[in-house]
Amino acid sequence: MASSKLISCLLFLSTIAILVHVVISAGPLYHFCSKSGNFTADSYYAQNLKNILADLNSKTPPTGFSTSSMGKKPDRSHGLSLCRGDVSSDNCKSCVLDASQELVKRCPYDKEAIIWYDNCLLKYSDDCFRGEIDNRYKFYMWNSAVVSNPQYFNSKTKELLGSLVDEAYWVQNMYATGEMKIGENEKLYGLVECTKDLSNEECKKCLEGIVSELPRCCAGKKGGRVVGGSCHFIYEMYPFVNTP
């Protein structure tokens, strides 16, 4: 099973190299159907999955994060949802609802699946994943525009994201944003975040891992992100964080 998940991830990472520009929209950014196991519409797993999705829809918006588990093995279902730290509770609610409805359409009868939107992520599995770094599912996005001095820009991007990692991993919501002046009239903006089932040290490990992928993802690009199942970062040369 693990090899098929890895192949799926690698295939996507190779495919996305062709996509030099991605337009952010209200729709999903990406999703994975694991194909690791199936269930039938009238099974206990189907009912448990339906129940945890309803639970996540209810519990996530007030705090921006929730996990849920229901049923007994081999039909036990586990779920997690996270809304980005700058997203309002109303937008969080609509995002998680859209994610839960869309994922079961895109991955019908798959016991494990994950979907990302700009405002949230949602995943479920028959395996308990709580507290574990999810490196199985990951994708890159970047701005097709390039900078004039890549070496300087790359170092500043790494510096900004590194400082945000140091801030995010020990705070309660495991989320940090910031900005850095990189020229007379230019600024770089960044965001990092972990799912809140991780420990502080696991959050740091997860974020440091994806930041280390900057050269493969976004070297010299004016904006980019690495998005995984347990953490993500975004950087841009314009302010993108929602303000109250």
Side-chain angles (χ1 to χ4, degrees), residues 5 11-12 16 43 51 66 97 128 136 170 180 210 214:
K5 294 174 183 176
L11 284 173
F12 176 66
I16 200 160
S43 65
N51 290 340
S66 186
L97 180 60
C128 183
R136 294 171 297 176
W170 60 270
M180 173 184 289
I210 61 171
L214 267 171

Side-chain angles (χ1 to χ4, degrees), residues 58-212:
S58 172
K59 291 181 177 178
T60 306
T63 63
F65 176 76
S66 186
T67 61
S68 183
S69 297
M70 294 189 184
K72 297 180 180 181
K73 288 185 177 182
D75 299 302
R76 189 165 175 79
S77 180
H78 308 270
L80 177 153
S81 52
L82 171 75
C83 289
R84 216 171 77 178
D86 59 329
V87 173
S88 69
S89 58
D90 285 345
N91 287 336
C92 177
K93 181 178 181 178
S94 61
C95 188
V96 173
L97 180 60
D98 288 346
S100 61
Q101 293 175 342
E102 190 67 23
L103 192 54
V104 295
K105 291 178 185 177
R106 295 187 176 214
C107 305
Y109 310 122
D110 279 292
K111 285 190 171 183
E112 180 174 303
I114 183 169
I115 192 167
W116 296 267
Y117 285 70
D118 205 34
N119 284 344
C120 68
L121 79 83
L122 184 143
K123 63 180 180 178
Y124 54 78
S125 176
D126 57 330
D127 289 328
C128 183
F129 52 75
R130 192 178 305 174
E132 299 178 359
I133 296 175
D134 182 358
N135 285 319
R136 294 171 297 176
Y137 305 118
K138 187 182 301 179
F139 67 99
Y140 302 159
M141 298 176 67
W142 59 84
N143 189 322
S144 60
V146 297
V147 297
S148 57
N149 188 341
Q151 186 174 357
Y152 171 78
F153 183 80
N154 293 342
S155 67
K156 286 298 181 181
T157 302
K158 185 176 180 180
E159 180 182 345
L160 174 60
L161 293 176
S163 68
L164 295 179
V165 170
D166 289 340
E167 178 183 346
Y169 84 89
W170 60 270
V171 297
Q172 186 175 7
N173 64 350
M174 296 185 176
Y175 164 85
T177 63
E179 60 186 61
M180 173 184 289
K181 191 172 182 180
I182 57 171
E184 188 173 342
N185 298 307
E186 291 182 321
K187 285 185 177 181
L188 185 65
Y189 301 85
L191 177 155
V192 302
E193 186 173 30
C194 294
T195 57
K196 298 166 187 60
D197 60 316
L198 298 184
S199 68
N200 299 95
E201 289 304 316
E202 290 295 283
C203 175
K204 182 180 181 181
K205 182 179 178 181
C206 186
L207 289 172
E208 288 178 340
I210 61 171
V211 171
S212 73

Side-chain angles (χ1 to χ4, degrees), residues 21 32 40 44 51 161 164 178 183 186 210 218 230 236 241:
H21 181 66
F32 284 104
T40 59
Y44 287 117
N51 290 340
L161 293 176
L164 295 179
E186 291 182 321
I210 61 171
C218 322
S230 295
E236 295 288 355
V241 175

